[in-house]
Amino acid sequence: MMDYFSMSDWQKNTASTQTSQWPVPPDSIRYVVPDPIVRLMADHPLTRELYPLAFGHYRKAAGHHMHREHHRDNLLIYCTDGKAFLNVLGEPHTVEAGDLLLLPAGANHRYTADPDNPWSIHWVHYTGPLAEDFRNYMGFDGSNRIRHLGRQPRLLVDFNGLLSVRQTGFRARGLIHAANRLRQLLAAVPLNADETSHERRAELDTIHNYMREHLDERISLEQLAELAGLSPAHFATRYREQTGTSPIQHFLHLKVERACQMLDTSDLSFADISRRLGYDDAYYFSRLFKKVMGQSPRDYRHTPRH
């Protein structure tokens, strides 16, 4: 692979991004990917599914404003300080510190930094066939454009990771790395969102610790709900919202993980392992194991792994 983009890439056609024309002060950064590089990333197998068009970091962005009638790409903004006023498709919003905002392609919008307390933001314009899938995965939809995450050091690390491509002279390797850092950033948003409520995080930790301490038993949804002080239906709904799975399914996965560990590190029969995990019927647990792992316990034990 060539380490720089060739001049022939200038012949391809693509639309450039629409960044604001706010004059960037010395303590802020705006990095715009040149059009020929955007065109290459749109074709390159390691970047064509999702790639950045521009990104940056604005500190105390006094006077920062933008109005886009025809928004061609996706814009993710993480506000770390201050405030701004936003209007998307005629709906007003206020963006404050700790808010993560997504403006999807096609959404008419305008925003203005609060003149008395201008926002500080990390931002990235991006596009690609996976953009819509990531929008849904991050928890944004037509009615939910802002997620309040609070201060998230991991998210700041991911945004700053994009900026590491600066001063590389638009080398292919650097921009391929930036494109995949973007994917990492978007994929981590639900993980960051899971950590926004310390109370709920503590509740989950209590539930999961209880599960791990009782892997040798068969516990019920009612037992877990009682531990959380909720009705079984309310507990199951809230747990799924937080984790994407049911509590009993997670408990089963913990048991299968422990069974794998026993198969790897002991000579115990699967019948003995099943009994140690609360199943007198080894055949039944074997079927559950195969459903989770995609292979029987016997095949798992005899599959070479290094």
Side-chain angles (χ1 to χ4, degrees), residues 54-117:
F55 39 88
H57 177 207
Y58 295 163
R59 298 181 188 274
K60 292 293 182 182
H64 182 219
H65 63 89
M66 187 67 186
H67 182 194
R68 298 180 180 92
E69 288 283 353
H70 305 288
H71 190 41
R72 293 191 294 263
D73 54 50
N74 302 273
L75 173 57
L76 188 70
I77 299 175
Y78 181 43
C79 178
T80 57
D81 194 22
K83 184 164 61 173
F85 305 107
L86 167 73
N87 189 292
V88 185
L89 299 174
E91 296 181 3
H93 304 270
T94 299
V95 183
E96 299 180 295
D99 286 344
L100 185 71
L101 160 69
L102 177 64
L103 298 170
N108 178 309
H109 64 263
R110 63 179 182 271
Y111 50 78
T112 303
D114 184 333
D116 299 319
N117 186 20

Side-chain angles (χ1 to χ4, degrees), residues 81-152:
D81 194 22
K83 184 164 61 173
F85 305 107
L86 167 73
N87 189 292
V88 185
L89 299 174
E91 296 181 3
H93 304 270
T94 299
V95 183
E96 299 180 295
D99 286 344
L100 185 71
L101 160 69
L102 177 64
L103 298 170
N108 178 309
H109 64 263
R110 63 179 182 271
Y111 50 78
T112 303
D114 184 333
D116 299 319
N117 186 20
W119 64 357
S120 294
I121 57 173
H122 285 78
W123 55 271
V124 55
H125 288 262
Y126 63 93
T127 190
L130 285 179
E132 184 173 355
D133 292 317
F134 269 109
R135 181 186 69 184
N136 296 330
Y137 181 72
M138 289 188 289
F140 294 102
D141 55 37
S143 60
N144 182 22
R145 306 191 185 282
I146 300 173
R147 300 200 63 178
H148 183 75
L149 303 186
R151 181 167 178 81
Q152 294 290 342

Side-chain angles (χ1 to χ4, degrees), residues 29-64:
I29 301 166
R30 178 192 292 140
Y31 185 97
V32 178
V33 181
D35 284 351
I37 300 177
V38 170
R39 289 189 281 269
L40 186 139
M41 287 197 293
D43 284 341
H44 196 287
L46 297 181
T47 56
R48 62 191 174 203
E49 297 298 323
L50 189 81
Y51 51 94
L53 303 171
F55 39 88
H57 177 207
Y58 295 163
R59 298 181 188 274
K60 292 293 182 182
H64 182 219

Side-chain angles (χ1 to χ4, degrees), residues 160-176:
N160 287 324
L162 293 176
L163 294 171
S164 67
V165 74
R166 292 185 305 141
Q167 300 178 355
T168 61
F170 301 127
R171 297 176 66 187
R173 290 173 183 169
L175 285 153
I176 289 171

Side-chain angles (χ1 to χ4, degrees), residues 14-304:
T14 192
S16 59
T17 190
Q18 300 166 281
T19 58
S20 71
Q21 297 305 306
W22 180 68
V24 181
D27 61 350
S28 295
I29 301 166
R30 178 192 292 140
Y31 185 97
V32 178
V33 181
D35 284 351
I37 300 177
V38 170
R39 289 189 281 269
L40 186 139
M41 287 197 293
D43 284 341
H44 196 287
L46 297 181
T47 56
R48 62 191 174 203
E49 297 298 323
L50 189 81
Y51 51 94
L53 303 171
F55 39 88
H57 177 207
Y58 295 163
R59 298 181 188 274
K60 292 293 182 182
H64 182 219
H65 63 89
M66 187 67 186
H67 182 194
R68 298 180 180 92
E69 288 283 353
H70 305 288
H71 190 41
R72 293 191 294 263
D73 54 50
N74 302 273
L75 173 57
L76 188 70
I77 299 175
Y78 181 43
C79 178
T80 57
D81 194 22
K83 184 164 61 173
F85 305 107
L86 167 73
N87 189 292
V88 185
L89 299 174
E91 296 181 3
H93 304 270
T94 299
V95 183
E96 299 180 295
D99 286 344
L100 185 71
L101 160 69
L102 177 64
L103 298 170
N108 178 309
H109 64 263
R110 63 179 182 271
Y111 50 78
T112 303
D114 184 333
D116 299 319
N117 186 20
W119 64 357
S120 294
I121 57 173
H122 285 78
W123 55 271
V124 55
H125 288 262
Y126 63 93
T127 190
L130 285 179
E132 184 173 355
D133 292 317
F134 269 109
R135 181 186 69 184
N136 296 330
Y137 181 72
M138 289 188 289
F140 294 102
D141 55 37
S143 60
N144 182 22
R145 306 191 185 282
I146 300 173
R147 300 200 63 178
H148 183 75
L149 303 186
R151 181 167 178 81
Q152 294 290 342
R154 178 166 54 190
L155 190 56
L156 291 174
V157 168
D158 287 339
F159 269 107
N160 287 324
L162 293 176
L163 294 171
S164 67
V165 74
R166 292 185 305 141
Q167 300 178 355
T168 61
F170 301 127
R171 297 176 66 187
R173 290 173 183 169
L175 285 153
I176 289 171
H177 179 66
N180 284 279
R181 287 297 293 263
L182 170 63
R183 187 180 295 227
Q184 174 181 314
L185 187 162
L186 303 187
V189 167
L191 300 177
N192 289 310
D194 285 346
E195 297 174 359
T196 57
S197 169
H198 295 298
E199 182 179 341
R200 290 214 177 172
R201 185 73 253 173
E203 178 186 289
L204 272 182
D205 287 343
T206 299
I207 296 296
H208 290 161
N209 287 336
Y210 182 85
M211 289 180 178
R212 286 188 286 268
E213 290 168 2
H214 294 81
L215 287 178
D216 59 340
E217 302 175 20
R218 303 281 292 276
I219 60 178
S220 66
L221 177 63
E222 288 73 18
Q223 286 175 277
L224 296 175
E226 184 178 354
L227 193 63
L230 301 169
S231 70
H234 187 189
F235 170 71
T237 298
R238 191 155 91 173
Y239 186 93
R240 182 175 289 277
E241 287 174 350
Q242 289 181 266
T243 67
T245 189
S246 72
I248 298 303
Q249 185 74 2
H250 182 71
F251 186 52
L252 171 61
H253 284 190
L254 290 176
K255 284 179 177 282
V256 171
E257 284 182 351
R258 180 65 62 83
C260 289
Q261 181 183 9
M262 291 182 181
L263 288 167
D264 285 338
T265 60
S266 77
D267 294 326
L268 290 171
S269 69
F270 192 71
D272 286 337
I273 291 173
S274 298
R275 281 191 290 272
R276 293 189 181 201
L277 292 173
Y279 292 94
D280 292 328
D281 186 345
Y283 179 69
Y284 174 70
F285 186 47
S286 176
R287 286 185 300 164
L288 294 178
F289 183 100
K290 185 173 183 179
K291 187 174 181 179
V292 173
M293 296 301 296
Q295 59 184 160
S296 69
R298 177 183 176 84
D299 290 341
Y300 177 87
R301 173 168 265 170
H302 294 289
T303 297

